[in-house]
Amino acid sequence: MDDSPTEVEILVELLSGEYEVTAAMSGTEAMALVNLGFDPNVILLDVNMTGVDGYETCRMLKEDPATVNSEVVFISGNDSVEEIMKGYEVGASDYLSKPIQPRELMSKLQVLAVQIQKRSHAMEDVSSAREEAQSARDMAMSAIIDAGEQAAVIDFIRQCGQATTVSGLGSLLIDAVEAYGLEASLRLMMSGKAEYMSSDDLMTPLELEILQKSQNVSRLYQSGSKLIANYPGVVAMIKNLPMEDEERCGRLRDHLAIIVESASNQLKAINLSEDVSALLVDFNNSLDRVQIQQTACKKGSVQLLDALSGEIQKTFNDFGLSEAQESELMGTISQYAERILANYSEGIGLDDEMKNVSDGLRIIADKLVPKSEDIEFDV
């Protein structure tokens, strides 16, 4: 929907070949269509409409049972984090910047079509899954209330030290957030590669974009019930802070900041450990190559010395040397041959010393991120 006839005409012409398109010129007209039974899968919604703007229209659509599951894509000339967060707060699934690029629009619609299909296939299990999830949340909340909210923070910090992979750390972080009855989406950076995780497994394109852009916002950024905790390597977006309980909401902000910061520190340790491990692999491979080369050189030197001794023996008669002279000359040659081989043996001894260095570095790497079976806690 758009209050610009030209924009509407362009979109209808672009989409009508592949989709069934209905146009509305205002939020009021759109809600009238909904009241008549219109329930679209995807709604393209202009932010800056006269009268009822796009945000208010989206809020009304999400409150109506007929369109609560419709995917809303906002269209605006402003793509700042603050503007996108406003759209996400009222229930949008994605965001398009003006001027609209046809290829980008069609790509986003295809992504949303896949998500709608997945949601449709999952509808049969939604009811029982929600009941199980709610039961699990209720049990978790009861345990937290009994032990105190601080217990969840302490428990996460203790378990966090056992995480040796990015996915394992992310799962622990999701579990810690869900223990408070909250939902979260995560972005974890490891060696320049981003890994995304979410409480409900299905992450909308808008959530992905917010996580990508939020690495440049302040440590804690809140918009309504949404909270972004931004620490080095870890961005966590909390989706449902309890705004009705201001005191508890404040406590949760503090707890979540500690939890996400602890996850950030552990991610640094995992990254460092992997870097050291990769360095050790290269180091050991180099040592193996040196050892092979040294062994080959020693073998070649022995063969050359044997050949030299044979040649000298053959030419003794030509020199007219006495037996004593021959014996003395061969003794000198043997003495220096033994020194040459001794030098090679010292080189092999140096390999052993380098192996000891490698073993020491491996111990340090294991201490940075210890294996879970090596960790014991007093309970």
Side-chain angles (χ1 to χ4, degrees), residues 12 17 95 101 113 119 134 143 159 179 211 217-218 227 251 259 263 268 313 321 334 360:
V12 170
Y95 211 92
Q101 301 299 320
R119 185 179 292 111
Q134 187 59 48
Q159 293 187 58
L211 288 172
V217 302
S218 57
L227 172 69
R251 292 198 309 271
I259 287 173
K268 292 177 187 176
Q313 290 279 7
L321 300 176
S334 296

Side-chain angles (χ1 to χ4, degrees), residues 281-295 351 355:
V281 170
D282 293 340
F283 184 69
N284 287 328
N285 288 340
S286 297
L287 282 180
D288 290 340
R289 289 193 295 270
V290 170
Q291 193 170 36
I292 292 171
Q293 290 174 353
Q294 286 183 331
T295 301
D351 287 347
K355 286 287 186 184

Side-chain angles (χ1 to χ4, degrees), residues 154-163 169 172 175 266 377:
I154 296 171
D155 187 53
F156 174 78
I157 293 173
R158 295 174 69 186
Q159 293 187 58
C160 180
Q162 301 181 50
L169 180 62
L172 286 174
D175 290 344
Q266 182 64 13
F377 288 114

Side-chain angles (χ1 to χ4, degrees), residues 1-17 21-25 44 46 75 98 100 102 105:
M1 66 192 72
D2 196 313
D3 59 359
S4 168
T6 303
E7 294 282 352
V8 170
E9 183 178 350
I10 291 172
L11 288 172
V12 170
E13 183 178 351
L14 175 64
L15 299 174
S16 58
V21 183
T22 300
M25 301 300 293
L44 299 179
D46 186 25
I75 301 173
K98 289 185 178 181
I100 296 174
L105 172 60

Side-chain angles (χ1 to χ4, degrees), residues 140-160 172 175-177 179-180 251-252 254-256 258-259 262:
M141 283 302 298
S142 296
I144 290 172
I145 292 171
D146 291 338
E149 292 175 345
Q150 285 286 355
V153 177
I154 296 171
D155 187 53
F156 174 78
I157 293 173
R158 295 174 69 186
Q159 293 187 58
C160 180
L172 286 174
D175 290 344
V177 172
Y180 288 116
R251 292 198 309 271
L252 288 177
D254 295 338
H255 298 330
L256 292 167
I258 295 172
I259 287 173
S262 298

Side-chain angles (χ1 to χ4, degrees), residues 206-225:
L206 192 58
E207 288 177 340
L208 285 172
E209 187 169 355
I210 290 172
L211 288 172
Q212 289 166 358
K213 291 190 174 184
S214 293
Q215 59 185 334
N216 298 320
V217 302
S218 57
R219 280 282 182 262
L220 293 176
Y221 175 81
Q222 186 171 350
S223 177
S225 63

